[in-house]
Amino acid sequence: MASLRSLAAGLSTLGLSLALAGCGSSPGVGPSAGVGYETVIAAVVLAESEAGGRAFELEIEDGTAQVHVAAAGREVEVDVDLAGPTVTDRRDDGDLDPDDRATMDAAPTTLADAVRVAAAAHDGDGSVGEVSLEHGADAAWKVAFTDAGDVAVSVADGTIVRSAG
């Protein structure tokens, strides 16, 4: 009887280990990728909350996300330490660019939505390095990854416009 309990306990431990191993990474984010897209999204949400507006640009460098947020007609740059994530700095960068404002006003898809969609579509093993807003008739969020791949996500409906790498 004791040997059956030992066998059952061993199999339970093995099953748990296998289940946890299967949860180790997110789509588009491999073990060598660096910062996971969930952390990037958390940084964007935190920056938007801090500035009281909507993010429209993002750069990640040395463990810090520099998130540009449109708030009350102004551009506010919020630095977020990705280890926390925690806000480490906030600066008013002046009036919001009219092209950025017009594109965002017509865009139901958010920067965080674009990161989520792009990460799921990205075939490489790089993490998100930068997100920018492209203007014009084919307005899109351009999500650039650290492995030189990029995915453009439509601001109008959240579909993938193009993918490279």
Side-chain angles (χ1 to χ4, degrees):
M1 187 72 154
S3 64
L4 286 178
R5 275 190 243 146
S6 297
L7 178 59
L11 289 174
S12 292
T13 303
L14 176 62
L16 179 60
S17 297
L18 290 173
L20 291 174
C23 296
S25 64
S26 302
V29 182
S32 63
V35 179
Y37 76 91
E38 298 97 341
T39 302
V40 173
I41 291 170
V44 168
V45 170
L46 180 60
E48 288 175 332
S49 176
E50 173 73 20
R54 187 168 166 197
F56 66 93
E57 188 175 306
L58 166 88
E59 296 173 36
I60 297 176
E61 190 174 305
D62 298 328
T64 299
Q66 296 173 334
V67 184
H68 297 259
V69 179
R74 310 282 294 167
E75 179 178 340
V76 179
E77 184 177 326
V78 180
D79 292 347
V80 178
D81 180 350
L82 295 171
T86 55
V87 173
T88 58
D89 196 15
R90 175 187 168 158
R91 293 173 296 290
D92 184 325
D93 284 348
D95 290 336
L96 183 62
D97 179 81
D99 289 335
D100 288 332
R101 177 186 297 225
T103 302
M104 288 180 48
D105 285 347
T109 304
T110 66
L111 186 146
D113 293 335
V115 168
R116 195 175 290 110
V117 169
H122 182 61
D123 289 333
D125 65 355
S127 61
V128 175
E130 183 176 327
V131 181
S132 58
L133 184 58
E134 297 178 338
H135 308 101
D138 296 326
W141 297 104
K142 181 181 176 188
V143 181
F145 292 87
T146 57
D147 62 1
D150 65 73
V151 176
V153 178
S154 169
V155 298
D157 59 13
T159 59
I160 296 170
V161 177
R162 65 185 175 280
S163 181

